[in-house]
Amino acid sequence: MASVRAGETEPLQQFETLLTLTHLLDDGGENWFHHMDRESASMVLAAAFGLHCPTGQEPDLMEAFAYIADFVKLFTPSASIINVLPFLDMIPGPMPWRKRAQTYRKHEAALYNKLITRAVSGEASGMNTWAATFASEDKPEGDQRQLMNQFTLTAISLHTFILACILYPKWIPRAQREIDAIVGEDRLPSFKDRPCLPFVEAIVRETLRWRPAAPFGVPHQSTADNVVEYKGKEYLLPKGSVIFAVTVAIEHDQERFENHDVFLPERFLDDTHNLKSDYETSAFGFGRRMCPGIPFAERALWINIAMMLWTFNIRRSDEPDPKTGLPFKYDASDSAFNGEALHKCAI
Ligand code: HEM
């Protein structure tokens, strides 16, 4: 897929974030989890296919969410024996895993046909969509299909940002001071402020590091025998090996990150309070298949974080958990998705 021309989508991303702020103001933050899911999806689907989803209840969006849920179900190792013992696929006939995969492919094709028709026929809101551009450039169809499911990781990262506000709030006043000094009280932050807000940039980096949205990365398969050196020893990785680069381990390497499990955006700043120049992240994968949506994703995180910190104070909920009558517990141990209690926070 050609690298996403993210700069052209800044007005769209800013608009979507503004919409999220109004949704949060309307319901007092009650459904924040859902609002972030909506926004992450709407941003990508609007840019890719012209499908803007202002409410989160649009039938096409529901279909896209269901498609992703099916994908996740099929993809997990526990979903089917075939994911653990792939050679079983040599057994001919209507095996259960084959039938499930065929049903999934059918749903995928139906959704894709709907989206691409909308994009190409210009039904869309007059925007120059990525899918229409790819189609006119004769890009392989797979590139366009991939755009259908590229919003979950942005949503997870936004959930992670809220979790960090709740569990490690110490950095929030510094961020808000920086934003107030540059932006002031009379307008919202915009992308033109980005170079002047290094601490907000550091929050984006720390969000991606602290709880990487794809903690185990995406498996790759080697196409040739390889010898790799690790701590003075050599290891042979035979051709065809399935390799997981475990992002969460890389981003929590205690030799690189002191207090690795604490959310500390300032770790990305130097003594002069500017961003360190040696930034590297494994959160977007590696090599040829590295995420091509990085500029778009980083902008999405940046504008959300800047606007939310300008607008709200985000903290633990004062209300008890209705299920237990006790204060809410927030799950600090795993991805923000795993903490059902996290559905409640005070915005
Ligand atoms: C915070 C948000 C995001 C994160 C953390 C993320 C992370 C990743 C990761 C880990 C991969 C697998 C890379 C590998 O195989 O080594 C990937 C692939 C991909 N991402 Fe993202 N991504 C994000 C947002 C996006 C967005 C917004 C788009 C599109 C606009 C996008 C488009 C893609 C595509 C098309 C691939 C497949 C690339 C390929 O297989 O050649 N991603 N992403």
Side-chain angles (χ1 to χ4, degrees):
M1 186 177 109
S3 211
V4 169
R5 280 159 288 195
E8 294 168 23
T9 63
E10 283 182 357
L12 166 73
Q13 293 184 281
Q14 191 145 339
F15 170 74
E16 287 288 358
T17 309
L18 189 58
L19 196 55
T20 298
L21 295 189
T22 60
H23 288 327
L24 289 167
L25 286 168
D26 283 348
D27 73 2
E30 183 81 16
N31 298 306
W32 68 270
F33 210 83
H34 162 76
H35 298 321
M36 287 175 187
D37 287 351
R38 178 213 68 80
E39 181 194 337
S40 308
S42 185
M43 261 188 199
V44 172
L45 293 175
F49 300 102
L51 177 63
H52 168 53
C53 308
T55 68
Q57 302 303 325
E58 292 74 9
D60 286 346
L61 180 65
M62 294 303 190
E63 210 178 315
F65 281 147
Y67 155 71
I68 290 189
D70 280 353
F71 173 76
V72 172
K73 263 190 233 149
L74 286 179
F75 189 70
T76 49
S78 57
S80 164
I81 190 156
I82 198 74
N83 292 356
V84 188
L85 306 172
F87 62 85
L88 289 180
D89 203 30
M90 288 190 297
I91 304 173
M95 305 310 288
W97 59 79
R98 196 164 294 132
K99 278 207 237 158
R100 282 176 65 194
Q102 282 162 352
T103 313
Y104 167 79
R105 284 282 172 221
K106 233 189 252 167
H107 290 160
E108 183 192 57
L111 178 63
Y112 176 71
N113 287 339
K114 207 187 307 182
L115 293 175
I116 192 73
T117 308
R118 170 198 286 269
V120 173
S121 71
E123 253 177 62
S125 47
M127 284 177 56
N128 189 12
T129 57
W130 294 333
T133 307
F134 289 175
S136 68
E137 288 171 1
D138 255 354
K139 292 266 174 211
E141 198 184 76
D143 284 357
Q144 297 157 38
R145 256 174 214 272
Q146 289 220 38
L147 292 171
M148 285 200 301
N149 58 11
Q150 297 299 337
F151 45 80
T152 317
L153 298 183
T154 310
I156 295 176
S157 303
L158 290 175
H159 302 155
T160 293
F161 163 70
I162 299 287
L163 184 67
C165 290
I166 292 168
L167 291 176
Y168 295 104
K170 266 195 190 157
W171 52 270
I172 296 178
R174 177 170 175 187
Q176 290 179 324
R177 274 198 305 277
E178 180 184 80
I179 296 171
D180 287 348
I182 299 296
V183 178
E185 287 185 358
D186 301 331
R187 64 172 181 88
L188 280 158
S190 77
F191 282 108
K192 74 175 170 32
D193 301 311
R194 195 170 171 191
C196 309
L197 297 174
F199 197 71
V200 176
E201 200 72 43
I203 298 167
V204 173
R205 293 180 182 184
E206 184 66 343
T207 302
L208 291 164
R209 183 201 72 81
W210 183 60
R211 295 286 181 267
F216 301 103
V218 171
H220 288 220
Q221 193 164 32
S222 59
T223 52
D225 285 355
N226 266 304
V227 176
V228 293
E229 205 201 296
Y230 179 67
K231 294 198 171 169
K233 281 191 179 169
E234 291 194 334
Y235 297 87
L236 170 69
L237 299 181
K239 178 180 173 180
S241 303
V242 175
I243 300 161
F244 285 82
V246 182
T247 310
V248 72
I250 297 169
E251 298 299 330
H252 284 254
D253 177 351
Q254 297 181 39
E255 283 175 19
R256 286 173 63 212
F257 301 108
E258 208 179 314
N259 291 327
H260 66 99
D261 209 32
V262 179
F263 191 89
L264 285 177
E266 53 271 39
R267 70 172 85 245
F268 290 105
L269 299 179
D270 62 20
D271 295 341
T272 62
H273 310 295
N274 287 309
L275 287 164
K276 287 183 185 164
S277 56
D278 58 352
Y279 176 59
E280 281 182 323
T281 177
S282 62
F284 293 103
F286 304 89
R288 237 163 16 102
R289 307 307 296 266
M290 188 179 200
C291 175
I294 298 173
F296 187 87
E298 285 186 345
R299 279 173 171 83
L301 297 183
W302 187 88
I303 194 71
N304 271 278
I305 290 173
M307 280 198 182
M308 274 196 280
L309 289 172
W310 185 91
T311 312
F312 302 115
N313 287 315
I314 302 164
R315 57 179 170 77
R316 279 172 186 272
S317 174
D318 296 328
E319 292 170 31
D321 182 342
K323 280 191 201 147
T324 61
L326 298 169
F328 271 98
K329 275 200 185 138
Y330 295 99
D331 181 10
S333 64
D334 207 333
S335 113
F337 257 167
N338 290 356
E340 206 192 321
L342 188 61
H343 282 259
K344 184 85 191 160
C345 73
I347 288 188

